[in-house]
Amino acid sequence: MTTTTTRVDAISKASTATTVIDAIMEFVRGRRASGLFLLGAAALSSRIPGVGTAASVLLRAYRRLR
């Protein structure tokens, strides 16, 4: 049971980390609002797993469809 918990924690931390990296890249590209949105999603992702990934995917889909 602890192995599953450890894996879930690792995946959750990786999801949060990649969302933070996406936010940093948005700031580098000059997209401040998107960067702030992703930072907020990363903070929320530490409480609710998957929120950061969903926000990142939705932001990319929005840009592609715009």
Side-chain angles (χ1 to χ4, degrees):
M1 185 101 173
T2 58
T3 304
T4 304
T5 304
T6 305
R7 287 182 186 160
V8 169
D9 288 341
I11 291 170
S12 177
K13 288 178 183 179
S15 173
T16 303
T18 56
T19 306
V20 169
I21 291 169
D22 282 344
I24 292 168
M25 292 306 296
E26 291 296 310
F27 282 118
V28 169
R29 291 182 182 130
R31 300 175 182 154
R32 186 174 179 209
S34 297
L36 290 173
F37 173 72
L38 288 171
L39 278 179
L44 190 59
S45 181
S46 65
R47 299 276 184 189
I48 304 170
V51 171
T53 304
S56 184
V57 168
L58 287 173
L59 189 61
R60 289 176 192 204
Y62 168 75
R63 281 213 189 93
R64 196 161 295 253
L65 294 174
R66 185 169 42 134

